[in-house]
Amino acid sequence: GENVEQHPSTLSVQEGDSAVIKCTYSDSASNYFPWYKQELGKRPQLIIDIRSNVGEKKDQRIAVTLNKTAKHFSLHITETQPEDSAVYFCAASTGFQKLVFGTGTRLLVSP
Amino acid sequence: GAGVSQSPSNKVTEKGKDVELRCDPISGHTALYWYRQSLGQGLEFLIYFQGNSAPDKSGLPSDRFSAERTGGSVSTLTIQRTQQEDSAVYLCASSSRQGAGEQYFGPGTRLTVT
């Protein structure tokens, strides 16, 4: 079955810096890759996603890139702000199926 | 519109008791998923319902866990003879057949087994 690995487990940046979180997946059939942000005690919130027919997608300060050949995808956050501090999870699926999640990255943005 | 709702928000039970957790998906969403999140951990898939198809139960950790979805809407996750290792946040998500199958999560039920 699908296995998703996520790095780093923790990431500390200064406000205004960029942050990059990387994930790899094992199942070449996976074609849908969402990213979720989870604040302490809250539900996971979908922040951006990408399908395998697209190499890059951007939404304001957030972007996701996908390399199907290498089976890895990354989340890029530019101009980080303290409110970006949270745990971020990547996931993979074949679409309309269960999500297999990475182990999460705790991002801390210091003012 | 209304998002995914779950009840109760918190449940404390004694070891050996049965518990029922409820999920109300977003109206019109045909797919419903249950995940479990242990303290400080990632999300673990439990079970998935899609329309009238047979559910994907491949993530259920033991036969003490079961779930049903009545009328294609509300779902109930039942844990029988609870154990301390069942303590976790149980999250429900739903998705429609539109788009790429984006899943939207409910607030979760925090289960504590004493």
Side-chain angles (χ1 to χ4, degrees), chain A residues 36 38 43 49 96-97 99, chain B residues 35 37 48 102-103 105-106:
Chain A
Y36 285 84
Q38 188 176 32
R43 75 187 77 187
D49 57 13
F96 303 103
Q97 298 291 333
L99 290 173
Chain B
Y35 296 88
Q37 186 172 32
Y48 157 53
E102 297 90 339
Q103 295 185 24
F105 283 84

Side-chain angles (χ1 to χ4, degrees), chain B:
Chain B
V4 178
S5 61
Q6 293 185 244
S7 61
S9 54
N10 282 283
K11 177 72 176 179
V12 180
T13 190
E14 291 181 353
K15 177 181 173 181
K17 299 285 189 183
D18 297 352
V19 295
E20 285 190 352
L21 313 180
R22 177 187 167 106
C23 172
D24 270 286
I26 293 171
S27 178
H29 279 194
T30 58
L32 187 149
Y33 310 78
W34 284 98
Y35 296 88
R36 178 170 70 174
Q37 186 172 32
S38 301
L39 185 63
Q41 301 298 310
L43 288 86
E44 172 192 8
F45 166 75
L46 297 176
I47 189 169
Y48 157 53
F49 297 90
Q50 172 61 268
N52 295 321
S53 302
D56 176 355
K57 304 180 182 180
S58 61
L60 294 179
S62 78
D63 58 8
R64 296 186 296 104
F65 288 71
S66 63
E68 62 178 22
R69 188 177 185 194
T70 54
S73 181
V74 171
S75 177
T76 303
L77 177 69
T78 301
I79 309 173
Q80 296 179 308
R81 305 182 301 282
T82 52
Q83 304 294 311
Q84 288 189 328
E85 59 263 29
D86 298 335
S87 296
V89 176
Y90 289 82
L91 290 157
C92 174
S94 71
S95 70
S96 76
R97 288 297 292 182
Q98 307 299 317
E102 297 90 339
Q103 295 185 24
Y104 298 96
F105 283 84
T109 293
R110 181 175 298 279
L111 175 65
T112 303
V113 182
T114 62

Side-chain angles (χ1 to χ4, degrees), chain A residues 24-75:
Chain A
T24 60
Y25 62 100
S26 61
D27 188 351
S28 56
S30 290
N31 58 9
Y32 175 63
F33 307 92
W35 286 87
Y36 285 84
K37 175 183 180 182
Q38 188 176 32
E39 297 175 3
L40 190 61
K42 301 288 183 64
R43 75 187 77 187
Q45 295 272 12
L46 178 65
I47 57 172
I48 195 167
D49 57 13
I50 192 166
R51 301 189 215 187
S52 60
N53 58 348
V54 175
E56 183 174 1
K57 183 177 179 180
K58 188 173 182 180
D59 182 4
Q60 300 184 341
R61 296 185 299 108
I62 294 173
V64 57
T65 59
L66 171 65
N67 183 326
K68 287 176 56 181
T69 302
K71 296 202 195 74
H72 65 70
F73 56 112
S74 300
L75 177 71

